[in-house]
Amino acid sequence: MIVELGHYALVLAFALSLIQSVLPMVGAVREDSRLMAIAPPVSVALFVLVALSFAALTAAYLSSDFSVVNVWENSHSAKPLIYKISGVWGNHEGSVLLWVLILVFFGALVGFFGTNIPASLRAATLAVQSWVTAGFILFILATSNPFNRIAEAPLEGNGLNPILQDIGLAIHPPLLYVGYVGFSITFSFAVAALILGRLDAAWARWVRPWTLLAWVFLTAGIAMGSYWAYYELGWGGWWFWDPVENASFMPWLAGTALLHSAIVMEKRDALKVWTVLLAIFTFSLSLLGTFLVRSGVLTSVHAFATDPERGVFILVLLCLFIGGSLTLYAWRAPMLKQGGLFAPISREGALVLNNLFLTAATVAVFVGTLYPLALDVITGEKISVGAPFFNLTFGPLMIPLLIAVPFGPVLAWKRGDLLAASQRLYAAFGIAILACLFTLWLWGFERVMAPLGVGLAVWVMTGAMVEILTRVKLFEVGLSRGFARLKGLPGSAWGTSIAHFGVGVTVLGIVTASAFQEERILTMKPGDNVELSGYELTFDGVVPRKGPNYREDVGHFTVRTGGTIVEKMEPSKRLYTARQMPTTEAAIMTSWFSQLYLSLGEGRDNGAVDVRVYFKPLVTLIWIGCMIMAFGGLVSIADRRLRVGAPKPARRATPSPQAAE
Amino acid sequence: MMFWILIAVMTAAAALSILVPLARSARREDPVEAEQTADTAVYRQQLAEVDRDLERGLIETEAAVAARTEIARRLLAADERQHGAETGSKSGALLRLAMVTALVFLPLGSFGLYLYLGSPDLPDQPLFARLSEPAENQSVDVLVARVERHLSENPQDGQGWSVVAPVYMRMGNPKAAANAYANAIRLLGATAQLETDFGEALTVANDGIVSADAQAAFERAVALEPGAVKPRFFLALALGQEGKSEEAIASWSSLLEGADPSEAWVPVAQAELAKLGGTQMAGRLGSGEALPGPSAEEVAAASDMTDQDRTAMISGMVEGLAERLDDTGGSVDEWLRLIRAYSVLGEGDKAAAALTKARKVFAEDTSSLGRINEMAEKAGIEGS
């Protein structure tokens, strides 16, 4: 009964989303308050229904109800509890349901908390969100229904792909999805604004917290995915430029650009046309990512061609939403009144520069991701576009952007003074040079680019700190007053600095981990020693071990520095018996921000084994930096001025200045 | 019943989420005005921010003045819009349409679509509940799964293995049965019965060929109980399969000596003996066109046997025929019978191989070839 109720809830949600697609939009266009008033409660009802449906599917997984085809195909009664739950979204059908759940979740958030948004904009936005929702629920019901049943239930399921049986992968997709589906709400805001023909500074302000929220989750999700690949795939790489990664990275780049251009729109009423276009593009890239990952196009273009039902369906949705919104854009955008003017050297100018580079970077990733696919479709030729392409295109685009990062926040709006801004950044520049020299002294001239990279990272980090310090005039007003002023700074200012600092931290991690990594790939016999970056590793032998649903060969290593034992490391090679699938489990020793990374290759005769040992200096900074960025985003959302759900200003004739604080 | 009530409740709640705001908002204040105040609220907030920033010295006075002018301009524009906007006419027809959608389209649409897509009659089947139902309500599959679950938790339960083993045999899974018997023997100790059944399972799993492992098992059984018939029966069969005709004949004869002719296995043994050219049945070999096939007794014996015994017996016979045809050749009728037997046993590959061989043998003989091809076509077998 529970399963069928879940199925019904989904169908009901579909019917309700169709109504939500039409009535509030009609209300918003005709300014009929009663029709508009439908939108918020229905958005909440939609969320409740889809959540019920998702809960029913989860219940089926938990109770191993193999009469549900989806459970039978992807679960196994002997699986640990956590993987029964993560199994819900570890497959195509469930993951699309999660997608829809997040769509309606953002709708409900706006419906419930968006009380400061004008009713017509809110109603139209929720209606647009429902178009997307209806499209995707239809996709589920028509091609990927997780509630299909088998009358004669089998007694055991097929189990989950072992590579997905990992705690990192259990939580990473939901985070990533919240991020990239979250941009749907920005898209809905943009389309609604285009339909209603009102796009102004106030709009940018209403949209900002939602964009930030999606961005925070996407940042965290990408970082987790990267760390997962790092320790699970056994090669010690943390970013592979593979299409699945790029699919989430493109919306991130576009979304970051959007965040910045929305600031200009909010403060100066400028860049409106561009901001709306970015909002459309960001979600379009999310949709594209979903298409790439979900249609099977990536695994093989030809597999897609032989079983195209799902892929074609998403493709149609994709064309409908992207094509439709762009058409609407082409029609409405010229009618928008351009807002404030500004000089090239100004805060706005800096943000435009940021947008230019981020967009160009998005295009580079886009080309690198889709070109091989297109080539395969057209000529049948298979090429792979890997790191070298992206290093040559994406890399050079990031360098000027990073150099410019500290300038942006210290430039004045409208008309900036580059010289004055530079003066404020003297200190940061000095520290960056010192960092350069220090790196040179430490590692010599071997790798000339690396010290420059370190300098760049330090420049971004100190620039972010200098910005906050100059804003409070810490050196002019003295410590105690300075701290008081520090506390009084708005959350968005803190958010900017923290996030920019995080960028610097990530860059530092990337530069040091790639330039100063040391590696040894060798065959070791028990008792052999290898020395690396001051660590002495002794291989003690390989011992077989049995896990709940796998067998593994565990290599035992002792790590010493200067003769004293620091750590025992146990990398292993696992074989998941149900699917006869091998995986590599790397062993990682973290010391400060650096890591010693150890993974096993093929076993040889007489107990010898191939071993890969890496020392990666400051590698964890890559992910710590991302977390700092995400934290900066959260601080910015928490800014009281943006906080949503405040008492309705609409009820008040004149909002009091206190409420405005 | 409960199910339909819950469905009705869900549908009603969804409909209410539309109907309630429709009814309630009739009393609300003018939306357009509310909207514009939301607009101006933002600009007023921005003005306050500028003041605050200025107060804290975060921005220069000049910039603050410029910003204030700009925001004030936006505020004025928003104000103007507020006064210029006309209150939208509230269409009664639209409202009625909205109510109709909530009351008619929503329930009918979702209900109809659900009936088309869903399986309302199918109850949940959580594994745990399925496994803990009383045994008499359960299918053999469920019972086996239950025992398997028990055994995976208590792999040292020899009794459990010995219980599940014959069930596997009956389900046509001789490999699992052999494994279960092996476990039972390991844990409970060898008995003639277990060893015999183990050997039999191995034999059936091996398409009726008595492998070395099976032979060893039967020998252990005979060692434990020298008079036992079944292991000796299989051992004799093994000797025949190995081509040790003399010894096989001796074994069969000793087995048949003093046996009760009404026993089910006796005719089979006699047939085997006859096939090997032993004396006991020699007179019964038919003459002329009649081919040596299973006698009426044998068929009767076969129908008394358990499925496994029957399968073993039939495949034993078929293999014997195949070997003979390979070694010494035979008539077209015999070849046809072999091919048909394979196809009936569901061994398409072997049938195809036999077909190929038969075509090669009768390549010169057009009438025989015609019959072979006709039969192959009828049975749907494709040789090369």
Side-chain angles (χ1 to χ4, degrees):
Chain A
M1 189 173 83
I2 295 175
V3 175
E4 290 302 314
L5 280 178
H7 196 175
Y8 182 73
L10 191 63
V11 173
L12 187 60
F14 175 62
L16 198 58
S17 68
L18 286 179
I19 296 177
Q20 173 88 324
S21 302
V22 180
L23 292 184
M25 186 53 88
V26 173
V29 172
R30 302 182 54 132
E31 292 179 340
D32 186 322
S33 67
R34 288 203 268 186
L35 288 183
M36 288 194 268
I38 293 174
V42 172
S43 72
V44 174
L46 273 175
F47 171 65
V48 171
L49 286 174
V50 178
L52 275 178
S53 175
F54 194 80
L57 186 63
T58 310
Y61 267 86
L62 288 181
S63 64
S64 295
D65 187 340
F66 296 125
S67 69
V68 179
V69 178
N70 188 251
V71 179
W72 167 63
E73 281 174 345
N74 300 294
S75 194
H76 191 284
S77 63
K79 216 162 56 168
L81 181 72
I82 168 91
Y83 300 128
K84 278 186 185 165
I85 298 174
S86 71
V88 177
W89 56 79
N91 62 82
H92 169 78
E93 287 84 355
S95 73
V96 184
L97 189 59
L98 180 67
W99 221 94
V100 172
L101 181 66
I102 293 166
L103 266 181
V104 293
F105 173 65
F106 271 87
L109 280 183
V110 170
F112 200 79
F113 292 109
T115 41
N116 61 341
I117 304 167
S120 66
L121 180 63
R122 181 151 66 134
T125 302
L126 291 174
V128 177
Q129 186 81 357
S130 265
W131 299 349
V132 185
T133 309
F136 273 89
I137 300 186
L138 186 64
F139 172 63
I140 293 181
L141 293 177
T143 71
S144 328
N145 197 332
F147 292 107
N148 284 342
R149 307 286 299 273
I150 339 170
E152 293 293 323
L155 277 154
E156 199 44 270
N158 292 341
L160 176 69
N161 186 344
I163 228 171
L164 304 184
Q165 296 194 24
D166 175 89
I167 191 76
L169 217 61
I171 34 189
H172 145 243
L175 274 183
L176 203 60
Y177 271 26
V178 170
Y180 81 59
V181 183
F183 281 115
S184 63
I185 200 73
T186 328
F187 169 84
S188 299
F189 266 110
V191 171
L194 284 175
I195 291 175
L196 298 180
R198 51 159 305 168
L199 211 54
D200 47 27
W203 179 87
R205 187 171 195 128
W206 291 316
V207 175
R208 184 125 190 274
W210 310 107
T211 319
L212 266 172
L213 190 64
W215 182 87
V216 164
F217 278 100
L218 192 56
T219 309
I222 292 177
M224 274 204 69
S226 148
Y227 190 69
W228 171 81
Y230 170 72
Y231 76 74
E232 184 71 22
L233 299 186
W235 282 101
W238 43 269
W239 190 260
F240 296 86
W241 293 111
D242 85 66
V244 178
E245 281 174 328
N246 293 348
S248 60
F249 193 46
M250 287 188 283
W252 187 85
L253 287 170
T256 311
L258 172 64
L259 268 184
H260 288 92
S261 78
I263 300 175
V264 179
M265 183 165 169
E266 181 188 335
K267 294 285 185 196
R268 295 297 323 282
D269 208 21
L271 293 189
K272 289 194 272 197
V273 179
W274 171 243
T275 305
V276 167
L277 188 63
L278 266 184
I280 292 174
F281 272 152
T282 305
F283 183 58
S284 300
L285 288 169
S286 295
L287 283 174
L288 180 78
T290 309
F291 169 72
L292 288 180
V293 176
R294 284 287 142 230
S295 66
V297 146
L298 289 179
T299 27
S300 156
V301 173
H302 307 289
F304 168 65
T306 48
D307 181 21
E309 190 191 12
R310 286 173 176 172
V312 167
F313 204 112
I314 306 188
L315 202 59
V316 169
L317 281 182
L318 196 77
C319 294
L320 220 61
F321 289 126
I322 301 177
S325 55
L326 288 181
T327 311
L328 184 70
Y329 175 81
W331 173 42
R332 301 292 278 207
M335 298 178 202
L336 293 174
K337 220 169 26 177
Q338 264 308 343
L341 300 169
F342 53 85
I345 303 284
S346 62
R347 182 89 67 94
E348 295 94 318
L351 289 165
V352 168
L353 188 77
N354 149 304
N355 268 240
L356 271 177
F357 280 104
L358 281 175
T359 319
T362 314
V363 172
V365 178
F366 186 86
V367 170
T369 311
L370 290 192
Y371 178 68
L373 276 179
L375 199 66
D376 191 5
V377 170
I378 296 165
T379 66
E381 191 185 338
K382 289 204 185 302
I383 58 162
S384 76
V385 171
F389 169 83
F390 294 101
N391 289 345
L392 278 178
T393 52
F394 184 81
L397 282 171
M398 285 299 111
I399 293 169
L401 180 62
L402 290 170
I403 294 175
V405 164
F407 283 103
V410 295
L411 278 171
W413 289 103
K414 210 164 177 180
R415 228 168 271 103
D417 185 346
L418 195 58
L419 198 64
S422 307
Q423 276 168 352
R424 293 196 199 173
L425 291 170
Y426 273 163
F429 192 67
I431 295 173
I433 297 284
L434 283 180
C436 256
L437 293 175
F438 178 70
T439 322
L440 268 180
W441 172 74
L442 215 54
W443 269 287
F445 285 91
E446 252 174 87
R447 308 174 177 97
V448 147
M449 290 305 282
L452 290 178
V454 171
L456 185 61
V458 172
W459 161 246
V460 175
M461 284 155 68
T462 45
M465 289 191 284
V466 163
E467 191 255 318
I468 213 101
L469 293 181
T470 46
R471 282 193 79 154
V472 297
K473 300 192 170 127
L474 191 65
F475 304 111
E476 295 158 40
V477 296
L479 269 185
S480 59
R481 270 203 65 198
F483 273 119
R485 291 168 61 95
L486 216 50
K487 260 195 258 169
L489 272 187
S492 63
W494 273 111
T496 307
S497 279
I498 294 172
H500 285 175
F501 185 79
V503 173
V505 171
T506 297
V507 172
L508 184 61
I510 293 173
V511 170
T512 50
S514 25
F516 303 119
Q517 159 178 313
E518 290 198 43
E519 66 174 85
R520 295 266 190 290
I521 299 177
L522 70 169
T523 307
M524 291 178 92
K525 285 197 290 291
D528 279 2
N529 283 316
V530 60
E531 217 169 316
L532 188 82
S533 306
Y535 292 101
E536 194 183 318
L537 265 92
T538 313
F539 176 44
D540 304 326
V542 171
V543 179
R545 191 157 65 185
K546 202 168 173 295
N549 47 359
Y550 56 83
R551 280 182 287 120
E552 61 180 347
D553 290 327
V554 185
H556 288 267
F557 292 83
T558 311
V559 186
R560 293 185 180 82
T561 40
T564 49
I565 297 178
V566 239
E567 180 106 354
K568 298 252 182 201
M569 292 177 80
E570 301 187 344
S572 69
K573 284 193 85 74
R574 278 186 193 165
L575 182 73
Y576 282 83
T577 37
R579 293 199 183 190
Q580 289 293 307
M581 221 171 128
T583 66
T584 313
E585 306 291 318
I588 295 172
M589 183 184 85
T590 310
S591 114
W592 292 98
F593 294 119
S594 307
Q595 291 188 328
L596 192 63
Y597 184 107
L598 193 55
S599 87
L600 291 185
E602 293 308 309
R604 299 288 168 105
D605 298 336
N606 57 40
V609 69
D610 289 353
V611 179
R612 285 194 290 270
V613 198
Y614 304 88
F615 180 72
K616 294 173 173 289
L618 303 186
V619 70
T620 53
L621 289 186
I622 296 174
W623 304 289
I624 292 174
C626 292
M627 290 303 125
I628 296 176
M629 279 188 244
F631 178 68
L634 281 180
V635 170
S636 201
I637 297 177
D639 190 333
R640 287 179 61 195
R641 296 175 298 171
L642 290 176
R643 200 178 291 164
V644 281
K648 285 184 195 173
R651 288 281 169 87
R652 227 166 289 167
T654 46
S656 58
Q658 285 92 331
E661 271 278 306
Chain B
M1 196 58 209
M2 191 60 195
F3 175 65
W4 298 111
I5 293 174
L6 285 174
I7 278 193
V9 169
M10 269 159 67
T11 318
L16 282 179
S17 74
I18 299 173
L19 293 174
V20 169
L22 274 184
R24 204 173 44 187
S25 55
R27 289 180 261 113
R28 281 266 180 86
E29 72 267 59
D30 182 31
V32 179
E33 189 183 329
E35 198 151 299
Q36 298 311 334
T37 45
D39 248 11
T40 50
V42 169
Y43 297 130
R44 279 178 211 285
Q45 275 181 23
Q46 283 192 337
L47 276 178
E49 273 160 37
V50 171
D51 287 346
R52 208 181 56 145
D53 283 0
L54 181 65
E55 196 179 302
R56 300 230 170 107
L58 292 178
I59 50 174
E60 308 301 322
T61 325
E62 202 182 322
V65 172
R68 246 189 247 140
T69 333
E70 227 178 77
I71 296 167
R73 214 177 292 144
R74 280 179 231 153
L75 188 57
L76 277 178
D79 243 14
E80 243 165 67
R81 246 196 322 225
Q82 180 174 346
H83 293 298
E86 275 178 44
T87 313
S89 59
K90 306 293 172 286
S91 153
L94 255 180
L95 260 187
R96 273 195 296 282
L97 188 73
M99 286 182 185
V100 168
T101 22
L103 288 170
V104 181
F105 167 79
L106 185 70
L108 287 187
S110 48
F111 197 69
L113 188 59
Y114 171 71
L115 284 186
Y116 174 69
L117 291 171
S119 331
D121 306 329
L122 219 55
D124 287 347
Q125 303 184 30
L127 192 62
F128 182 73
R130 281 165 74 195
L131 293 179
S132 50
E133 250 178 73
E136 56 265 28
N137 299 342
Q138 291 183 335
S139 68
V140 179
D141 290 351
V142 175
L143 290 174
V144 170
R146 223 158 104 173
V147 177
E148 277 172 348
R149 190 160 276 256
H150 166 78
L151 286 174
S152 74
E153 278 156 24
N154 311 290
Q156 301 304 316
D157 180 5
Q159 205 60 48
W161 289 112
S162 74
V163 167
V164 78
V167 181
Y168 281 134
M169 278 304 269
R170 212 166 305 137
M171 286 165 64
N173 188 355
K175 282 202 181 106
N179 177 42
Y181 278 123
N183 280 324
I185 291 168
R186 179 170 54 84
L187 296 162
L188 300 176
T191 66
Q193 180 68 42
L194 283 175
E195 290 284 8
T196 309
D197 290 343
F198 177 48
E200 186 185 4
L202 285 174
T203 307
V204 175
N206 206 10
D207 296 326
I209 306 290
V210 182
S211 64
D213 286 346
Q215 204 169 349
F218 291 127
E219 275 159 7
R220 285 195 297 273
V222 175
L224 287 164
E225 193 186 326
V229 172
K230 203 167 170 185
R232 285 163 64 212
F233 177 96
F234 277 101
L235 284 172
L237 200 62
L239 289 171
Q241 285 168 355
E242 278 172 61
K244 298 178 182 165
S245 312
E246 300 290 306
E247 294 165 55
I249 290 171
S251 299
W252 285 121
S253 306
S254 85
L255 197 57
L256 283 166
E257 225 163 81
D260 180 356
S262 66
E263 292 267 0
W265 59 269
V266 171
V268 186
Q270 285 170 338
E272 284 290 329
L273 189 57
K275 212 163 64 183
L276 291 161
T279 48
Q280 203 136 357
M281 292 288 292
R284 250 204 78 240
L285 271 176
S287 53
E289 292 293 291
L291 287 165
S295 65
E297 292 92 328
E298 283 177 60
V299 174
S303 56
D304 280 349
M305 289 166 125
T306 61
D307 287 352
Q308 289 67 49
D309 293 345
R310 187 155 53 227
T311 320
M313 170 184 139
I314 293 170
S315 17
M317 287 173 167
V318 174
E319 292 302 330
L321 177 62
E323 261 168 48
R324 190 157 57 79
L325 289 178
D326 264 352
D327 293 342
T328 59
S331 70
V332 65
D333 287 302
E334 285 174 317
W335 279 103
L336 288 176
R337 193 157 61 131
L338 178 67
I339 298 166
R340 200 178 300 124
Y342 276 138
S343 97
V344 169
L345 289 174
E347 296 182 336
D349 294 348
K350 287 187 181 173
L355 177 63
T356 315
K357 269 186 212 157
R359 280 184 182 151
K360 218 175 279 166
V361 171
F362 296 98
E364 317 286 329
D365 183 350
T366 36
S367 79
S368 299
L369 201 59
R371 284 179 64 198
I372 291 171
N373 288 338
E374 187 190 357
M375 205 272 309
E377 200 177 327
K378 233 187 261 170
I381 309 162
E382 277 180 24
S384 51

